[in-house]
Amino acid sequence: MKNDLEKMIELARSVRIHVLDMVNSAQSSHIGASYSIVEILVVLYSKILKINPKDPNEPNRNKFILSKAHGSCALYAILAESKFFPLEVLKKYYVDGGILPGHLDKYSVPGIEHSMGSLGHGLPFGVGLAYANKIDHNEGQIYVLIGDGECNEGTIWESAMFAGHHKLDNLTVIVDYNKIQSFGRVEEIMSLEPFGEKWKAFNWNVHEIDGHNFEQLITALESESIKPKVIIANTIKGKGVSFMEDKLEWHYKSPNPKQYEDALKELKSKK
C-alpha cells in the first residue's frame, strides 16, 4: 500500500504540473477548480475505474462523468498519464488549432464519456446511464464528479431523488466540496448545509471525507452499498500551490510569468 501511495503522490504532482503548463500556455482559467479534484481523479484512474485505454468503448466498462467540466485540464492530464492518448496532445489545450476545448467534447479524445459545459447536466446523464445499465443487466459502474456550487441546480436534486427511489447502487457521486463557487463562498451564495443530511433524505449512502486523502478516498469509493452512494469530498480550491489555495480569484486567473515560475518551483519541490 505504501508503494501505491507513493505512486499516487507522484502522479498527483505530475497532473498538477501538466495543468499549470496547460493553463499558462493557453492563458486560460479554472486552475483552482482543476487542482481541487486532482487526488479524486488519481484514485479513480489508478484504483477504481479499471477502464482499458486500449479499448475505451468496451460496452461493460465503468464510466466516469466530469460534470464540473471547467476542471477539464485535470481530466485531460490524468487521461494522458493513463495512456488514453499521448502526453504531447496536452499542448493542444484551448489554443487556435487545438483539439482540447476548455470544457469537454466527447469526440475530442478517447476517455471523454460525454460533452459537458453548462452545470447541472452531468448527474442527470449519469443517473440515466446507471438506470440503463440496470435494465440491460450491464455490471458497469457509473461515477459522476460534481461541484458544490453546481448543487444550486435543481436538476441535481431531481436526479438524486430519482436515483434514491430506484436504488441505483451502481451509481457513485463525488462532490468537490471546496467551499468556493464562481462569485464567492458557497455558504454566502447559497448554503448547502446540512449537506449530508439532504442526500440521506433522498435515500443515498453518504460518506464525508478529506478529498485530498488517498486512503480515505479509496475506502469510500470501494465501500459496498445497496443504494446510490455520495462522497462529500472536502477539498481546497487551488490545492497544491500555496498562493492559490482557497482563493476565489484562481477560479478565473491565469498565472503571470512570475506566478508560473513560483508555482512550478513549489510543485517540483514537494516531497
Side-chain angles (χ1 to χ4, degrees):
M1 183 64 175
K2 182 179 179 181
N3 190 43
D4 286 346
L5 285 173
E6 289 173 352
K7 288 180 180 178
M8 286 189 284
I9 289 168
E10 283 304 310
L11 180 53
R13 186 210 306 263
S14 295
V15 167
R16 285 194 168 92
I17 291 173
H18 290 317
V19 169
L20 178 65
D21 286 339
M22 293 161 71
V23 170
N24 181 62
S25 295
Q27 284 295 285
S28 61
S29 53
H30 301 310
I31 191 170
S34 297
Y35 276 0
S36 62
I37 63 174
V38 169
E39 281 77 16
I40 297 168
L41 294 177
V42 165
V43 170
L44 283 169
Y45 282 88
S46 298
K47 302 284 290 184
I48 304 298
L49 292 176
K50 299 179 176 63
I51 302 172
N52 182 0
K54 296 180 179 179
D55 188 14
N57 296 314
E58 192 277 321
N60 296 313
R61 69 189 181 280
N62 295 332
K63 295 179 181 177
F64 171 69
I65 309 298
L66 179 61
S67 188
K68 49 164 285 180
H70 50 289
S72 62
C73 282
L75 179 56
Y76 294 142
I78 194 68
L79 287 172
E81 285 284 350
S82 302
K83 303 188 185 310
F84 282 80
F85 52 84
L87 287 168
E88 290 75 24
V89 173
L90 297 179
K91 296 177 181 178
K92 299 182 179 180
Y93 168 73
Y94 211 45
V95 294
D96 289 344
I99 61 173
L100 299 178
H103 287 70
L104 296 173
D105 178 353
K106 178 180 179 179
Y107 301 103
S108 59
V109 285
I112 307 296
E113 291 288 353
H114 198 274
S115 302
M116 287 289 160
S118 182
L119 295 173
H121 298 309
L123 184 52
F125 181 70
V127 167
L129 290 175
Y131 191 54
N133 276 3
K134 287 289 187 183
I135 294 171
D136 294 338
H137 304 289
N138 184 322
E139 295 185 357
Q141 299 289 305
I142 309 300
Y143 298 84
V144 183
L145 177 52
I146 65 177
D148 47 12
E150 187 174 10
C151 292
N152 295 165
E153 299 281 358
T155 49
I156 296 294
W157 301 106
E158 292 175 41
S159 302
M161 181 166 57
F162 182 95
H165 175 78
H166 289 282
K167 297 181 175 60
L168 298 182
D169 59 348
N170 57 346
L171 174 66
T172 297
V173 170
I174 308 106
V175 183
D176 175 26
Y177 200 14
N178 62 37
K179 319 297 190 300
I180 296 176
Q181 57 188 98
S182 58
F183 294 112
R185 303 200 74 84
V186 170
E187 63 185 13
E188 297 167 354
I189 303 298
M190 186 79 74
S191 176
L192 296 171
E193 297 298 340
F195 199 23
E197 294 303 314
K198 288 182 171 72
W199 289 95
K200 288 178 183 177
F202 285 100
N203 200 30
W204 285 61
N205 191 331
V206 179
H207 299 259
E208 187 160 0
I209 64 165
D210 176 349
H212 301 299
N213 184 298
F214 291 116
E215 292 168 312
Q216 289 185 30
L217 281 163
I218 292 167
T219 297
L221 285 163
E222 290 184 341
S223 64
E224 295 184 0
S225 178
I226 59 172
K227 51 189 176 182
K229 176 169 59 181
V230 61
I231 299 168
I232 299 173
N234 290 287
T235 61
I236 299 171
K237 197 157 194 139
K239 175 70 173 178
V241 175
S242 57
F243 63 83
M244 295 182 183
E245 290 187 354
D246 201 38
K247 298 290 196 303
L248 171 63
E249 58 263 34
W250 291 102
H251 189 84
Y252 299 103
K253 286 177 63 173
S254 52
N256 61 36
K258 184 179 186 306
Q259 289 168 333
Y260 170 76
E261 293 298 333
D262 288 347
L264 186 62
K265 182 179 179 180
E266 184 174 343
L267 289 169
K268 286 186 174 181
S269 68
K270 288 191 172 178
K271 301 295 184 182

